[in-house]
Amino acid sequence: DQYDKMSRRYRDHEKVWISYIVFRVHKGDIEGARKVFEKPLNALSPPKHIPIISKFARLEFEEGEPERARTIFEGLITNHPKRTDLWSMFLDMEIKHGPKQHVRNLFERSISMPLNARKMRFFFRRYLEFEKEQGDEESVEYVKDRAREYVASLKRGAEDGQDGQEQEEGDDE
C-alpha cells in the first residue's frame, strides 16, 4: 500500500510514520498500527522517538487498550521526567478516559517532583482546575493547601540561602 512505499522512501521522517500509524488505527487495525509503531523506533534517532511514542500512546488510549497506553506514558515520563508536555498529554488522556483516582495520583506525582516554580505553578493550576470541575470543596481545599505548602517551602529555601528548585536552564531534555 501507499504508506508502505512512503515509509520505505522517507524512513527518517517521523511525520510519515505518525501518519501511517494514525491511518492504521482509523482503519480499525490497531494490531497493524502496533506493528508499524515498532518500525520507526529502529529507523529514527532517539530524539525523534518521543513524538511517535506519545502519539501512539494517545491513540492507544482512545482506540486501543488504555492500560497499554498508561504503560507507554509511564515509560516516557520516567525517561523524561522534566518534560511538562509529556506529563500534560498523559494528564489530558487520564482526565478524558481514566478514573478520577488515576488522575489524582498522577497530579500528586507531578507536584511532588523537584521542578522549577514555573512548571510547578502549571501543575498546581491544572490540578486545581481539575478538582474544581470534578471534585468537591474538600478536594479543592486540599490542592490549595498543597500549593501553599509548596510556596512556603520555596520561601524557607530562599531564607536559608538556597533556591529550593532546579535551574531554569537545561531542565527540558
Side-chain angles (χ1 to χ4, degrees), residues 49 65 86 100 107 112 117 139 147 170 173:
H49 291 180
E65 299 173 26
L86 298 176
K100 288 180 188 177
F107 272 120
S112 299
S139 61
E173 293 178 349

Side-chain angles (χ1 to χ4, degrees), residues 77-123:
I77 63 173
T78 298
N79 291 328
H80 308 281
K82 297 174 189 168
R83 293 274 308 258
T84 53
D85 60 329
L86 298 176
W87 280 92
S88 185
M89 278 186 244
F90 194 7
L91 284 164
D92 288 343
M93 290 293 108
E94 284 291 1
I95 289 168
K96 193 171 181 181
H97 302 288
K100 288 180 188 177
Q101 196 53 47
H102 280 230
V103 178
R104 287 186 176 107
N105 292 343
L106 197 55
F107 272 120
E108 284 297 318
R109 284 174 54 200
S110 70
I111 64 171
S112 299
M113 295 188 317
L115 297 175
N116 66 49
R118 180 179 51 86
K119 290 182 179 185
M120 292 302 286
R121 185 175 61 238
F122 166 78
F123 286 121

Side-chain angles (χ1 to χ4, degrees), residues 18-109:
I18 291 171
S19 294
Y20 193 5
I21 293 167
V22 169
F23 169 73
R24 289 283 188 168
V25 169
H26 289 307
K27 238 176 79 172
D29 183 14
I30 192 74
E31 285 302 319
R34 289 178 185 143
K35 289 177 184 168
V36 171
F37 170 67
E38 298 297 325
K39 293 177 183 180
L41 301 181
N42 296 325
L44 298 171
S45 63
K48 291 185 174 184
H49 291 180
I50 295 171
I52 294 170
I53 295 170
S54 62
K55 180 65 175 182
F56 182 72
R58 287 186 307 229
L59 289 168
E60 192 70 68
F61 244 117
E62 293 168 349
E63 307 286 338
E65 299 173 26
E67 203 51 50
R68 185 185 297 239
R70 284 185 186 96
T71 302
I72 294 169
F73 269 121
E74 287 291 341
L76 278 174
I77 63 173
T78 298
N79 291 328
H80 308 281
K82 297 174 189 168
R83 293 274 308 258
T84 53
D85 60 329
L86 298 176
W87 280 92
S88 185
M89 278 186 244
F90 194 7
L91 284 164
D92 288 343
M93 290 293 108
E94 284 291 1
I95 289 168
K96 193 171 181 181
H97 302 288
K100 288 180 188 177
Q101 196 53 47
H102 280 230
V103 178
R104 287 186 176 107
N105 292 343
L106 197 55
F107 272 120
E108 284 297 318
R109 284 174 54 200

Side-chain angles (χ1 to χ4, degrees), residues 146-161:
R146 289 293 309 262
R148 286 184 202 109
E149 289 170 15
Y150 173 74
V151 170
S153 74
L154 286 180
K155 288 180 181 176
R156 280 192 306 274
E159 289 171 3
D160 294 343

